[in-house]
Amino acid sequence: MNRDSTYKELNKKTSELKQEVAKREWAEDKISKLTEIVGQAGVDHDDNIDFIVQQACKILEGTCSFYNRLDSKRESMRTCSSYRVPADFNKTTALDGLICFEITTKGNEKPTVIKDLKGTVYEKKDPGIKKWGLKSYLGFPALLDGTAIGSLCIFDTKKRDFSPLEIHIISTLAKAISLEEERKQAEIVLREQTLRNEIILQTAMDSFFIIDMNGKIVRANDAAFMISGYSPDELVGMNIRNFEIQEGSSRAERHADTVIWKGSDRFETKHRRKDGRIIDLEVRSNYLDLGDERFIFCFFHDITMRKRAERSLKKREKELENKSISLEETNTALKVLLKKRNEDKRKLEKKMLLNIKELVLIYLERLKKSGLDHRQMAFIDIMESNLDEITSPFVHGLTGSYLRLTPTEIQVANLVKQGKTTKEIAELLNLSKGTIDTHRDNIRKKIGIKNKKINLRTKLLTFQ
């Protein structure tokens, strides 16, 4: 090998080495710019997408770049962001033949690389390709919830053989757009949910407070303004203790400790409205810990009318209880009086019957034996019959055995009750002792103690 060929070979290796170094430096520059894009993301999603589309064109050195997105019905595709597009570019176009549409509807995360658009179906169906002299295409789909919704792409006016690094860059940027779409969708859902919650809270029948851990009211709904009598500007910022009249600091702290420990609490309290009127409230509270901030959510409603009705009902129940006790006492007294009256009545009836037998019938009996004529006997019978009629309602209340005694036996029985002896009774009635003994024997038989070791006087005394 001569010296010239050696120099040629050395120059070739040197040239190849320089090219390799240049490629590495180019790749490092692209990766560095890609890293800068990730670090420069802001809070506005549309601005971030515009920035990504712009940087895609710059980093990949394309002629123009687009982010095309399907509408909600997937019937048309609109360019949401673009860079270096012709002035007469139509941002809304039909789907048929559009490269971005096919990328979007492939349903997978793969790039679409077209080194030369000449002679392709896209050149025939997409008038912009010929019109603007576009020669090559590189695109990658953007996803939302796993479904392709659009694509990030670049066009070039020269044929290009896109490198793996360039394909990696377009896929990374498309995924960054997917992330922005997901964040945007999440914020939309969050705003809608927040709006729904706000509508629910503001239109809720129950009043609502959000209170910080110092008792300061940081949020309230319309019902809370109405029930408290304070305007929004007055109520928000007040401390809950400003209008609580029943909750001392220790009791309020106990409620706060309970809701923090258990997560919720329910209790009744009294509040003073702005106009000074005191109202009863039922409160349901829940604890929310957001890490740096902690709050207590309170739902409450006015139970003043219910408490008033309960107090009225308790008062009425007490009155009825007192009346019931009074009625029971009266009823007991009436029972005692009625029992006494019945006893007195029975005693009176018994005394009346006995008096008639002792004071009237005995003499009628003697008149019958005094030799009366027929007419006089008839009057005596009438008198006895009338006396029976008069005394018959009282007979059921007296001892039947005592009433079966004859007038003479009644006289003997009364004298026995008085403690008289047989001899004394015989002398008083002008009868023999034998006759008195016979009457005593008949009396024992009629009152059911014949042949029993029971004192006659003791038994007769029980008929008082």
Side-chain angles (χ1 to χ4, degrees), residues 167-392:
I167 294 173
H168 173 71
I169 290 172
I170 194 74
S171 66
T172 301
L173 294 175
K175 290 176 182 178
I177 289 178
S178 298
L179 182 59
E180 293 296 331
E181 289 283 8
E182 289 177 359
R183 288 174 56 198
K184 187 184 343 183
Q185 182 64 27
E187 288 188 4
I188 291 172
V189 171
L190 181 61
R191 282 197 300 270
E192 291 176 350
Q193 184 63 47
T194 301
L195 179 60
R196 283 195 294 270
N197 291 342
E198 180 68 18
I199 292 172
I200 291 171
L201 290 177
Q202 292 300 332
T203 58
M205 296 295 291
D206 282 356
S207 302
F208 173 76
F209 281 166
I210 299 180
I211 305 170
D212 67 16
M213 301 313 295
N214 295 318
K216 180 182 177 182
I217 300 170
V218 297
R219 184 80 180 279
N221 65 352
D222 292 342
F225 303 137
M226 293 179 63
I227 202 171
S228 67
Y230 290 94
S231 67
D233 292 337
E234 292 172 326
L235 188 60
V236 176
M238 286 181 62
N239 195 288
I240 193 69
R241 297 182 182 89
N242 290 350
F243 50 94
E244 287 184 340
I245 66 169
Q246 196 176 49
E247 301 292 309
S249 58
S250 60
R251 187 171 180 180
E253 289 172 1
R254 286 199 302 272
H255 283 311
D257 291 341
T258 300
V259 74
I260 292 172
W261 176 54
K262 296 175 61 177
S264 63
D265 192 16
R266 185 169 185 166
F267 56 93
E268 293 180 2
T269 185
K270 290 181 180 291
H271 280 198
R272 189 186 303 277
R273 285 171 44 90
K274 183 180 179 181
D275 59 12
R277 184 162 58 90
I278 296 173
I279 57 176
D280 293 284
L281 298 179
E282 183 179 56
V283 183
R284 302 185 310 280
S285 56
N286 294 278
Y287 175 64
L288 179 65
D289 189 344
L290 299 178
D292 294 337
E293 295 181 303
R294 297 182 301 162
F295 299 98
I296 295 177
F297 288 72
C298 294
F299 288 90
F300 55 94
H301 62 276
D302 189 346
I303 59 171
T304 304
M305 296 301 294
R306 190 187 82 189
K307 298 297 287 186
R308 188 177 300 166
E310 288 176 356
R311 288 192 291 269
S312 177
L313 181 60
K314 287 181 179 179
K315 181 180 178 181
R316 183 60 177 161
E317 287 176 348
K318 187 63 178 177
E319 292 174 353
L320 290 174
E321 183 181 352
N322 292 336
K323 286 184 178 180
S324 178
I325 293 172
S326 178
L327 286 172
E328 287 179 3
E329 292 174 349
T330 302
N331 189 42
T332 301
L334 287 174
K335 286 181 179 179
V336 172
L337 292 173
L338 184 59
K339 183 178 179 181
K340 184 68 170 61
R341 174 184 172 277
N342 290 335
E343 290 175 356
D344 291 345
K345 180 182 176 184
R346 283 193 297 272
K347 287 180 180 180
L348 181 61
E349 290 172 350
K350 180 179 178 182
K351 187 174 182 179
M352 182 178 177
L353 286 172
L354 294 178
N355 286 339
I356 289 174
K357 283 198 171 191
E358 291 177 354
L359 304 176
V360 179
L361 294 180
I362 190 171
Y363 295 105
L364 289 179
E365 190 68 27
R366 289 182 179 181
L367 283 174
K368 284 183 180 181
K369 298 176 181 180
S370 62
L372 299 177
D373 59 26
H374 179 73
R375 187 168 177 272
Q376 290 171 333
M377 286 297 294
F379 286 137
I380 293 296
D381 290 339
I382 291 171
M383 288 177 66
E384 285 183 336
S385 177
N386 289 341
L387 284 172
D388 286 339
E389 250 183 73
I390 292 171
T391 58
S392 62

Side-chain angles (χ1 to χ4, degrees), residues 349 353 388 391-400 403:
E349 290 172 350
L353 286 172
D388 286 339
T391 58
S392 62
F394 310 140
V395 173
H396 68 277
L398 298 175
T399 305
L403 293 177

